[in-house]
Every structure is written in structure tokens, then in C-alpha cells.
Amino acid sequence: MSTIYDVAKIANVSPKTVSRVLNNDAPVGEATRLKVQAAIDQLGYVPSTAARAMRSNKSGLIGVITGAISHNATAGPTGLPDLFIVQGIQAVIQASSKTLLIADTGDDSRRVAHLIRTFQEHRVEGIIYVADYHQQVSLPVHSKDMAIVLANCFDAQQTPAVVPDDEWGQYHLLKRILSAGHSTRCVP
């Protein structure tokens, strides 16, 4: 795998000049820029996002921990399927300059601590934990530097959470049923 030093050698410039071309953060003459770009193309060089993340603390990665992939939808309480929530998260992340990494628990909550640690090791900028139904959860202890948001759940530690508004949904569903001419009377 090629490095910035290989590109610099072929382009006959310093590694700092290659860095300036890649990051577009300082003036570089057009002829030099073209030489560096030609060397990049010749080598098939791809910048290391790991190295860039170490310098900037910005990996561009968002981690999602869910059981939606392996979840058995016929077991237990149900609500808004967690897979729909993950798809919504993907749509929002795709519109940004971030990349979504998804880790599935395999329906084993004991894996959550390992998955959080793995995401921390890969320097994700934040983690979204998606529960399979609206419930209280207890996540394992994790670094306070890691931003975590809960989706479809909440915890006792006041972790930021996005939860369904069941009351609003039921109110509007009933309102729609009544406006369609149906009654609320129960049949024994």
C-alpha cells in the first residue's frame, strides 16, 4: 500500500507538499499540484483516514448498535420496527459527510460492551444505540468522551434519547378513525 512518502518521491516534492495538495489547506502551484495528482493516480494512493482521524479527532464515522439485523420480529413486544429506525438513521447520515458503521448484537445484550469498545477503538465520532422496542435500557459503562444517543429507548443516566411519542400517535390515529366516520363504541 502506497504512502504519502511514495507519492512525494515520485512527484519529486516534499511529503508536506503532498499533504497540502490532499488537504487543500495551503497554496500550491498548479504545476506542482498536477505532478502530485499524477503520482497519486499512478500509485493508486488512498489517504489514510485513520491517520487523519488521529490528527483531527474527526473520523467521519458514526456507529450504530442494534439487534435489528438478527432480531426475531415475532418474539416480544413490538412497536416501530427497529430496522425502520436504522434505515432512517442511514438516510440522515448518507445526506451528511459521515459514514455509518452498523454492528448487530446478535440478540445478545452482553455483546453491547464489546461493540461500544470496538467503536471507540475505531474512533467513531458518536454511537447510536437502537433498542428493538420502546423500553428502559442500561448500557455498560463507557468513556465519557464518547457521545452516545439512545433511539427507541431511554436510561436512568439521562443519556440523550429519541423516543416515540405514543400518546401523540394514538391521539392522531383515533382522530383519523373518527373523521372517517367510525365510532368508538365497543362491541361485546
Side-chain angles (χ1 to χ4, degrees):
M1 184 164 279
S2 301
T3 68
I4 195 170
Y5 301 100
D6 299 325
V7 173
K9 185 176 181 181
I10 289 178
N12 200 26
V13 298
S14 72
K16 184 65 180 167
T17 300
V18 175
S19 176
R20 288 178 178 147
V21 169
L22 291 170
N23 296 318
N24 201 25
D25 61 356
V28 175
E30 187 59 28
T32 302
R33 182 177 302 283
L34 290 173
K35 282 191 338 185
V36 170
Q37 191 58 55
I40 288 171
D41 294 344
Q42 178 184 338
L43 292 170
Y45 172 76
V46 177
S48 168
T49 56
R52 191 172 288 182
M54 284 180 10
R55 286 190 307 275
S56 69
N57 265 346
K58 300 283 185 196
S59 65
L61 304 172
I62 304 295
V64 169
I65 298 174
T66 181
I69 297 168
S70 61
H71 179 67
N72 180 355
T74 60
T78 60
L80 180 62
D82 45 353
L83 187 56
F84 289 169
I85 296 169
V86 172
Q87 289 171 338
I89 293 168
Q90 169 60 25
V92 170
I93 297 298
Q94 187 173 353
S96 74
S97 61
K98 308 283 185 209
T99 299
L100 190 65
L101 300 177
I102 301 174
D104 190 85
T105 63
D107 270 342
D108 183 356
S109 61
R110 296 172 298 182
R111 294 196 64 225
V112 173
H114 168 72
L115 296 173
I116 289 173
R117 176 140 179 103
T118 299
F119 280 147
Q120 288 175 318
E121 290 169 354
H122 285 83
R123 303 293 191 255
V124 297
E125 294 180 28
I127 295 173
I128 303 170
Y129 177 82
V130 181
D132 53 347
Y133 63 93
H134 185 193
Q135 61 184 301
Q136 184 168 356
V137 297
S138 179
L139 293 184
V141 176
H142 58 276
S143 168
K144 299 299 178 199
D145 296 335
M146 178 56 57
I148 293 188
V149 174
L150 305 175
N152 205 28
C153 58
F154 57 95
D155 66 8
Q157 288 72 40
Q158 305 293 312
T159 301
V162 178
V163 295
D165 186 346
D166 293 334
E167 185 178 327
W168 181 90
Q170 291 169 6
Y171 170 80
H172 285 283
L173 177 61
L174 184 57
K175 188 175 176 181
R176 187 171 175 188
I177 290 169
L178 292 173
S179 71
H182 302 282
S183 74
T184 58
R185 126 189 106 151
C186 295
V187 178

